[in-house]
Amino acid sequence: MRTYKIAAIPADGIGPEVIDAGAEVLSVLAQRAGDVRFDVTTFDWGSDYYKKTGKMMPEDGLEQLKPFDAIYFGAVGAPDVPDHITLWGLRLPICQGFDQYANVRPTKIIPGVTSPLRGVDVGDLDWVIVRENSEGEYSGHGGRAHRGMPEEVGTEVSIFTRVGVTRIMRYAFQLAQSRPRKLLTVVTKSNAQRFGMVMWDEIAAEVAKEFPDVTWDKMLVDAMTVRMVKNPQSLDTIVATNLHADILSDLAGALAGSLGVAPTANIDPERRFPSMFEPIHGSAFDITGKGIANPVATFWTASQMLDHLGEAEASARLMRAVEKVCAEGVLTPDVGGKATTKEVTAAVCEAIRGENI
């Protein structure tokens, strides 16, 4: 029996709803496999915790998480708590504290989900965006002076290090190498940002020499948005900075039909610490408690988690079940359906139980 310790942090908004759905699916996968067990421990950290304690998580939060094999994260953010507090109080301390420097966001059109792009169907859009997740524009360096005065100034310093850029480029090239098309697009803005981003370009070219079988090209981030919309078939694996990939991956999710189906993994490739897996749709307080949150992104995120844990068979089984259910039209309202979160979850669980493979 293989037992995996999973730390669940449902956090805010629809987070608890989709993490509950994910935990139910993991339980069914374990039953189906017979030789796998998921020991899920839930942490009540988030905006409600902040309102009670003044902190998004305890001071020793990272120490509490270290013994776990993976972290299953819901969503963070609340209307009555400033966004910079929620983000820098919970999600980013975990990502940076555990050096989860590779943020991996796969995107594809799931059967049954319609892309807003005309003439694009299943298979035409199948990308993986690799986001540098430890430095760049979200390094947290800068400050404010002369607050409230006419001469008030705020600085936000982007930091690019050779080690940081090299390791994310190598990760992206290796990922591209493992995919059938062996194609990588490096996103940049070196025409305007002439120091850090020029170094980014130079290191990309250096690392490319280690992967002669990978075809790669370079794209300015503004032009990249056009390419994603007008020529999605030309893209496969994409690597970009913390900020650029943050924006592009939301566009990718929308082009695939809904942010409700978009997953992400925050990976420590060296496996020194637990990696964290989360849907990217946010806390969505406008639908919280209505029972219509789309759990597909959370299921896909679980599939990424299973792959990371070495459970490729369970991961593939989960995605087959998700695609079967969506193709049959069991969809939440955000993708044109009428099903509830519980109905989609029940259908996926039944598809896992009933699969002949």
Side-chain angles (χ1 to χ4, degrees), residues 25-297:
V25 164
L26 286 175
S27 177
V28 173
L29 283 168
Q31 293 168 15
R32 175 63 197 266
D35 58 352
V36 177
R37 179 172 173 264
F38 299 104
D39 183 2
V40 179
T41 301
T42 301
F43 294 83
D44 66 347
W45 306 340
S47 294
D48 286 343
Y49 186 89
Y50 173 81
K51 293 170 196 173
K52 295 173 187 174
T53 67
K55 298 181 183 297
M56 292 292 292
M57 68 176 180
E59 293 286 352
D60 66 343
L62 294 184
E63 288 301 315
Q64 292 187 43
L65 294 174
K66 272 185 183 178
F68 288 87
D69 297 301
I71 302 164
Y72 203 17
F73 193 90
V76 67
D80 53 352
V81 181
D83 287 342
H84 69 279
I85 289 177
T86 56
L87 187 63
W88 282 97
L90 185 58
R91 186 185 173 277
L92 285 182
I94 295 172
C95 289
Q96 296 185 353
F98 287 156
D99 203 16
Q100 298 165 348
Y101 65 81
N103 179 283
V104 183
R105 300 191 174 192
T107 304
K108 64 180 176 180
I109 301 173
I110 292 178
V113 177
T114 303
S115 168
L117 295 177
R118 288 180 301 189
V120 173
D121 205 348
V122 174
D124 288 337
L125 192 160
D126 185 0
W127 307 330
V128 179
I129 297 178
V130 178
R131 169 184 172 185
E132 200 293 312
N133 208 34
S134 66
E135 53 180 39
E137 304 89 348
Y138 296 172
S139 298
H141 284 262
R144 290 173 65 181
H146 313 299
R147 286 176 181 257
M149 303 294 288
E151 63 272 26
E152 181 173 1
V153 60
T155 60
E156 200 76 46
V157 182
S158 296
I159 295 178
F160 296 92
T161 65
R162 172 163 285 274
V163 66
V165 177
T166 300
R167 66 185 186 178
I168 200 64
M169 288 296 174
R170 190 165 287 129
Y171 185 94
F173 271 96
Q174 288 172 340
L175 182 59
Q177 189 180 51
S178 72
R179 287 168 59 83
R181 295 177 67 187
K182 300 185 187 301
L183 174 65
L184 176 68
T185 298
V186 177
V187 177
T188 184
K189 192 56 182 170
S190 50
N191 60 336
Q193 295 175 288
R194 57 186 177 153
F195 302 114
M197 296 263 36
V198 169
M199 187 177 81
W200 171 274
D201 291 352
E202 291 171 354
I203 293 174
E206 292 171 14
V207 174
K209 295 175 183 177
E210 302 173 22
F211 300 89
D213 57 334
V214 174
T215 301
W216 74 287
D217 61 0
K218 186 173 67 173
M219 202 84 194
L220 293 174
V221 64
D222 41 348
M224 185 66 173
T225 61
V226 178
R227 182 174 171 184
M228 288 169 69
V229 173
K230 299 193 72 172
N231 194 12
Q233 299 93 336
S234 72
L235 296 164
D236 187 80
T237 309
I238 300 160
V239 62
T241 70
N242 217 330
L243 173 63
H244 293 164
D246 189 7
I247 296 167
L248 294 177
S249 57
D250 275 15
L251 173 59
L255 295 178
S258 171
L259 290 185
V261 301
T264 190
N266 302 287
I267 303 293
D268 165 26
E270 281 75 44
R271 297 177 183 266
R272 299 156 296 174
F273 307 105
S275 293
M276 182 165 68
F277 303 84
E278 59 177 321
I280 71 171
H281 49 55
S283 48
F285 269 83
D286 56 325
I287 60 168
T288 298
K290 296 182 179 179
I292 58 172
N294 193 336
V296 167

